[in-house]
């Protein structure tokens, strides 16, 4: 998304200071800079501003005057697919939005969603495409899920930025062996982290979720997740 804001007028253009226009790379979504000519000029710059990843200043001219416009790119929040209706999943769903992730619950066993206050969930792996954005993280919280391997087979070709399985290798190793048996490349399997999360001695569901999200933030920022005081 790109947000364009008029910050200065020169002459008497058909606009006003503070006018805003929200755009995608290819279309105007809401608002206006004052006239179709200004909106079209901003849209023409939208892709270049999005590609730069940094705010830019543009001047657009009209017969009656010109406007200075501040164009600011806003990357969509990364999607966090949380598999399994478990206590750890509930904690992840609660904490993730505060840390800049868009959590989506996936639970293919609808009976596990009854009698509890769960958010709307995807219950069919075939519907995952509609929820995936350009930046996807995956955490499977139930190593006993009968379709865990199938969910990984669906997700791996989509190249998520992170895949983690809650549980020790004693509990998850046979799932990885099943992927090998299906012919999944060893380099792809190596990207699956299990156990998942930073080593903070987490015990409770909230602590485990915190350790996982801390690791996801480190991944998102290309950091190792160690103590800052140990860095040069």
């Amino acid at each position: 998304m790109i947000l364009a804001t008029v910050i200065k007028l020169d002459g008497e253009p058909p606009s006003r200071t503070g006018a805003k226009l929200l755009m995608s790379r290819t279309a105007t979504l809401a608002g206006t800079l004052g006239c179709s000519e200004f909106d079209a000029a901003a849209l023409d710059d939208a892709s270049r501003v999005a590609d730069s990843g940094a705010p830019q200043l543009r001047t657009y001219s009209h017969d009656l005057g010109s406007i200075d416009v501040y164009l600011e790119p806003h990357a969509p929040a990364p999607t966090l697919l949380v598999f399994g209706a478990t206590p750890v999943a509930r904690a992840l769903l609660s904490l993730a939005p505060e840390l800049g992730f868009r959590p989506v619950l996936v639970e293919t066993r609808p009976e596990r969603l009854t009698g509890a206050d769960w958010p709307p969930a995807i219950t069919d792996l075939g519907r995952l495409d509609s929820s995936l954005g350009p930046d996807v993280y995956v955490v499977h919280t139930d190593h006993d899920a009968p379709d865990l391997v199938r969910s990984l087979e669906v997700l791996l070709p989509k190249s998520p930025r992170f895949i983690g399985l809650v549980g020790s290798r004693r509990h998850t190793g046979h799932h990885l062996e099943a992927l090998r048996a299906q012919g999944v490349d060893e380099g792809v399997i190596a990207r699956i982290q299990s156990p998942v999360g930073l080593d903070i001695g987490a015990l409770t569901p909230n602590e485990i979720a915190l350790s996982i999200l801390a690791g996801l933030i480190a991944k998102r920022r290309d950091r190792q997740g160690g103590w800052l005081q140990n860095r040069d």
Side-chain angles (χ1 to χ4, degrees):
M1 300 294 181
I2 302 92
L3 179 64
T5 305
V6 177
I7 61 173
K8 182 182 177 182
L9 306 181
D10 185 11
E12 296 183 355
S15 186
R16 60 178 178 80
T17 303
K20 296 181 183 296
L21 174 66
L22 183 64
M23 304 171 287
S24 69
R25 289 173 175 266
T26 59
T28 60
L29 302 176
T32 180
L33 298 180
C35 68
S36 60
E37 290 91 337
F38 289 153
D39 292 351
L43 183 60
D44 186 56
D45 283 331
S47 289
R48 289 185 288 273
V49 173
D51 288 340
S52 74
Q56 298 187 23
L57 187 64
R58 292 285 191 276
T59 299
Y60 302 130
S61 298
H62 186 277
D63 291 343
L64 299 177
S66 64
I67 59 174
D68 288 348
V69 179
Y70 184 75
L71 295 110
E72 186 177 12
H74 291 269
T79 300
L80 173 58
L81 292 179
V82 180
F83 282 79
T86 68
V88 171
R90 186 182 296 279
L92 285 170
L93 295 168
S94 175
L95 294 172
E98 299 295 329
L99 299 173
F101 292 90
R102 181 178 72 92
V104 176
L105 176 63
V106 184
E107 176 54 85
T108 58
R109 299 161 291 181
E111 68 277 6
R112 294 174 65 92
L113 301 171
T114 60
D117 186 23
W118 291 102
I122 291 176
T123 57
D124 181 354
L125 294 178
R127 291 181 51 217
L128 282 176
D129 275 342
S130 63
S131 297
L132 299 183
D135 196 10
V136 180
Y137 297 71
V138 177
V139 175
H140 206 305
T141 70
D142 185 359
H143 56 72
D144 290 325
D147 60 354
L148 188 152
V149 172
R150 176 57 186 156
S151 69
L152 294 177
E153 290 175 337
V154 170
L155 288 166
L156 286 172
K158 304 179 188 303
S159 300
R161 187 168 181 185
F162 177 92
I163 300 180
L165 306 182
V166 173
S168 68
R169 282 297 174 118
R170 180 170 62 88
H171 291 106
T172 63
H174 64 288
H175 296 306
L176 303 184
E177 289 301 325
L179 290 176
R180 290 187 178 94
Q182 294 291 334
V184 176
D185 184 83
E186 195 65 33
V188 174
I189 293 175
R191 294 178 49 226
I192 302 172
Q193 294 197 22
S194 180
V196 60
L198 299 187
D199 184 6
I200 62 172
L203 296 176
T204 69
N206 282 348
E207 291 173 346
I208 294 169
L210 177 62
S211 75
I212 292 170
L213 288 166
L216 296 188
I217 292 171
K219 179 69 174 179
R220 186 179 180 188
R221 306 288 191 231
D222 294 321
R223 299 297 180 91
Q224 295 301 311
W227 286 104
L228 291 175
Q229 70 177 20
N230 294 330
R231 297 185 182 277
D232 293 334

